[in-house]
Amino acid sequence: MSEFDFDLFVIGAGSGGVRASRIAASHGARVALAEEYRVGGTCVIRGCVPKKLLVYGAHFAEDLKDARKFGWDVPDCKFDWNRLRDNVLAEVDRLEGLYGQTLDNHKVTLFKTRATVVGPQKVRLADGQEISAERILIATGGWPHVPEFPGSEHAITSNEVFHLETLPKRVVIAGGGYIANEFAGIFNEFGSKVTIVNRGDTILRGYDEQIRDRLLQISMTKGIEFKFNAPFQSIEKNDDGSLTVHLDNSEPIQADAVLVAAGRVPNSKGLGLEEIGVELDKDGAIKVDEANQSSVPSIYAVGDVTNRIQLTPVAIREGQAFADSVFGGKPTVVDYANVPSAVFSHPPIGAVGMTEAEARNKLGSIRVYTSDFRAMKNVLAGRNERALYKMIVNAATDQVVGLHMIGPDAPEILQAAAVAVKAGLTKTDFDNTVALHPSMAEELVLLK
C-alpha cells in the first residue's frame, strides 16, 4: 500500500487540470482534484466558450442586414440580451456537467472546495482536512488584472461580463489586447456605444502590424472609438448609476459599464507555494522546466499559472504531457513553436508563426506575400470591409514561416494552414496546391 492518500492531487479543474487528471487516472493513478469554483475552468465557465457564443450572437446583427441583399425579406429585428445571456449560461451549465461526468467516469475524486499546499506532498482543504499525495499539480490558471486606481471597484472584468443584468448602452473597455477587442466587437454589434481606452499606443501587441492596423481601421469604420495613451485616473459613480471615466490626456467619458481587459496574471496567490520553496517569477508565475516540474520536485504546474503561452489548447497539451510522462511511461515534451492563435474580433484574426518584423529580425532575408480583397459575400451585400492575408517566407529556404489573416472565418481557415507551417512546407508547396474555388481560403495558394 502507498504511504500517500493519492498518487496525484490536482488543484484547479480547468482545461489543463481536467486533462491531466483523467489521463493520469487512465494510466492507473489514484487521482484527486480540487476546484473552489466550477469544474471547467476559465475557458468553459467564463472565457473562450461563452465568449465565442456571444460572438456568434453578435454576427447576426450584420448577417440579418446582409440577408436582404440575398433576397430574404428580413424585418427590423430587436435584440434581447437577457435571452442570449441566459441561453449561454445554460450551455455553460451543460458543459460543466459533462466535465464532471468525465472525471467521474475516470474515477477521479473531486473536492469542490479550495485547496492550498502545506507541504511538498500535502494539501489542505478549506475545511481543514489534510490530504497527502506523492505528486501535486497546480493548474489554477490566470486571473484578470485590474490596475489600482480610485473607483476601480466600479469596473467589471471578463469574469463578470457574462452575467450583466442589462445590456449597457455605453461601454468603456480598458485595454488593447484580444479580450478588449473581442468584447468591443460584441458590444458594438449589439448596439452599444463602445470606446476602447488604451494606456499605450498599440492594439494587439505581438500580432503582425498590418493585420492589427486593418482591425483598427475596420473597427473605427464600424463606430468603435479608440483613445490611445490615455491611462485611467478614476471612475466616478453618478447618482443615476452611470459612470464617469476620468483619463489622462483625454476628456471624461460617460458610461454605463466599464470593462477592464488589461491582461491576465497567474492565479498563484494564497496557495502556499512560496512558503514551501516553489519558485515564482516577478508576475507570480510558477517556474517550471520542460517536464512541467517546479523547483520542488514533487510539485508540477501546467497552463496559465506558468505564464508560458496563455491558450487553452496549450494547457491541455501540457496536462497531457505531464500525465503521460509521469504516469504513463511516455516521456513527452510540448513543442511551443508555431502555436496558432486567433482573435475573435469583428472580423476575426488568425495567426501562426513569425510576424514580418520578427522574421526580418531573426532571418534577415524574407519574402512577403499579401492578398487584400473583398470577400464575395461582402461584395454582394454592399459591405466594403476587406480581408487581408499575409504570408512570410524565408528567402533562403522558401519555407513559409508565418501566416497572418484577418477576414471572415479567418481562424477556421488558419487552423488547417497552421499544419502546413508546422510541417515546414514551402511557398512552392502552396503554389503547387490547386485552389478550391470559389473560396476565401484559395487566396493562400494564389499569392504572388
Side-chain angles (χ1 to χ4, degrees), residues 14-62:
S15 298
V18 168
R19 176 59 66 91
S21 296
R22 73 173 183 83
I23 298 301
S26 72
H27 289 315
R30 298 170 303 135
V31 181
L33 173 62
E35 172 55 55
E36 64 178 307
Y37 182 53
R38 299 180 68 180
V39 175
T42 295
C43 180
V44 172
I45 303 300
R46 51 194 176 194
C48 39
V49 170
K51 174 203 66 187
K52 186 67 179 291
L53 293 173
L54 293 186
V55 169
Y56 283 134
H59 270 295
F60 282 104
E62 293 181 353

Side-chain angles (χ1 to χ4, degrees), residues 172-200:
V172 171
I173 301 177
Y178 72 95
I179 295 175
N181 283 278
E182 287 172 342
F183 278 105
I186 289 168
F187 281 118
N188 183 67
E189 296 299 329
F190 288 159
S192 302
K193 170 58 183 173
V194 178
T195 304
I196 287 185
V197 176
N198 193 359
R199 63 182 302 165

Side-chain angles (χ1 to χ4, degrees), residues 107-380:
K107 295 181 172 52
V108 174
T109 301
L110 178 62
F111 295 99
K112 293 187 175 181
T113 186
R114 180 173 176 80
T116 55
V117 181
V118 292
Q121 295 172 305
K122 186 173 289 187
V123 301
R124 180 183 294 142
L125 305 183
D127 63 4
Q129 179 184 359
E130 293 192 353
I131 298 172
S132 64
E134 185 174 5
R135 294 178 179 86
I136 297 169
L137 176 67
I138 310 299
T140 47
W143 196 256
H145 171 62
V146 179
E148 291 187 10
F149 55 84
S152 60
E153 69 273 11
H154 301 308
I156 62 172
T157 69
S158 55
N159 285 352
E160 299 84 33
V161 70
F162 302 104
H163 301 271
L164 289 172
E165 291 191 13
T166 58
L167 180 67
K169 294 180 180 178
R170 302 163 298 178
V171 183
V172 171
I173 301 177
Y178 72 95
I179 295 175
N181 283 278
E182 287 172 342
F183 278 105
I186 289 168
F187 281 118
N188 183 67
E189 296 299 329
F190 288 159
S192 302
K193 170 58 183 173
V194 178
T195 304
I196 287 185
V197 176
N198 193 359
R199 63 182 302 165
D201 57 4
T202 303
I203 65 169
L204 296 177
R205 195 177 302 276
Y207 281 85
D208 189 86
E209 185 175 356
Q210 274 187 281
I211 300 296
R212 66 193 190 202
D213 284 351
R214 177 60 57 89
L215 177 62
L216 177 62
Q217 173 194 347
I218 293 174
S219 297
M220 293 174 65
T221 300
K222 290 178 183 289
I224 298 172
E225 188 175 350
F226 289 80
K227 292 186 179 295
F228 292 106
N229 299 309
F232 270 54
Q233 287 183 346
S234 64
I235 300 175
E236 178 185 354
K237 190 163 187 177
N238 304 315
D239 293 339
D240 62 357
S242 65
L243 304 170
T244 301
V245 180
H246 297 276
L247 308 167
D248 287 344
N249 308 315
S250 180
E251 293 297 314
I253 306 173
Q254 301 302 314
D256 301 298
V258 176
L259 171 63
V260 174
R264 296 174 62 83
V265 295
N267 188 21
S268 62
K269 286 185 179 180
L271 292 178
L273 297 171
E274 290 178 289
E275 289 81 351
I276 64 165
V278 175
E279 190 175 354
L280 310 179
D281 71 10
K282 61 182 179 60
D283 298 318
I286 300 174
K287 291 186 177 182
V288 293
D289 60 17
E290 65 176 14
N292 301 296
Q293 192 172 35
S294 77
S295 55
V296 175
S298 58
I299 296 179
Y300 297 74
V302 298
D304 289 2
V305 75
T306 69
N307 205 22
R308 286 174 285 189
I309 298 180
Q310 293 188 357
L311 292 172
T312 294
V314 172
I316 292 172
R317 287 279 178 120
E318 291 170 351
Q320 177 96 34
F322 159 78
D324 283 342
S325 297
V326 176
F327 297 102
K330 298 184 290 186
T332 306
V333 175
V334 176
D335 181 1
Y336 295 98
N338 293 317
V339 173
S341 66
V343 182
F344 293 100
S345 44
H346 284 69
I349 292 170
V352 66
M354 288 185 274
T355 66
E356 179 179 348
E358 289 170 341
R360 289 194 188 282
N361 288 336
K362 185 173 183 178
L363 303 176
S365 180
I366 64 172
R367 300 195 305 271
V368 179
Y369 301 86
T370 60
S371 177
D372 190 335
F373 63 97
R374 262 205 304 172
M376 183 185 295
K377 178 176 177 287
N378 285 348
V379 174
L380 188 59

